């Protein structure tokens, strides 16, 4: 699994686990497909912020499927 804090590693269509804002304390992960990449910086220490196809917004904790 690749790191989720480098923007170049993340592309729309990938399956990732994100941490929602409300789950930052608990560390609960939400799995989904990347729709939009919201972080413009090439790197973010806590993870690149993305929007999933279901509308959830959070920071990428891990990349599950990156068959690109």
């Amino acid at each position: 699994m690749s790191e989720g804090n480098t923007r170049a590693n993340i592309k729309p269509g990938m399956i990732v686990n994100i941490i929602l804002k409300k789950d930052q304390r608990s560390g609960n992960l939400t799995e989904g497909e990347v729709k939009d990449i919201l972080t413009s910086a090439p790197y973010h220490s806590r993870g690149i912020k993305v929007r999933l196809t279901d509308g959830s917004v959070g920071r990428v904790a891990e990349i599950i499927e990156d068959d690109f």
Side-chain angles (χ1 to χ4, degrees):
M1 285 191 225
S2 324
E3 287 301 309
N5 47 12
T6 305
R7 193 176 194 276
N9 292 345
I10 300 164
K11 303 203 171 25
M14 285 182 163
I15 304 299
V16 296
N17 274 333
I18 64 168
I19 299 179
L20 301 172
K21 185 84 175 163
K22 69 181 178 68
D23 292 333
Q24 280 178 345
R25 281 214 166 91
S26 66
N28 286 342
L29 297 176
T30 303
E31 184 177 319
E33 182 182 335
V34 176
K35 181 180 179 193
D36 303 306
I37 300 171
L38 305 177
T39 300
S40 57
Y43 177 86
H44 192 286
S45 59
R46 290 192 308 274
I48 298 297
K49 190 176 276 188
V50 297
R51 179 180 296 117
L52 302 181
T53 51
D54 69 359
S56 303
V57 173
R59 296 195 181 275
V60 177
E62 54 192 10
I63 298 169
I64 298 169
E65 205 175 287
D66 55 357
D67 305 334
F68 287 90

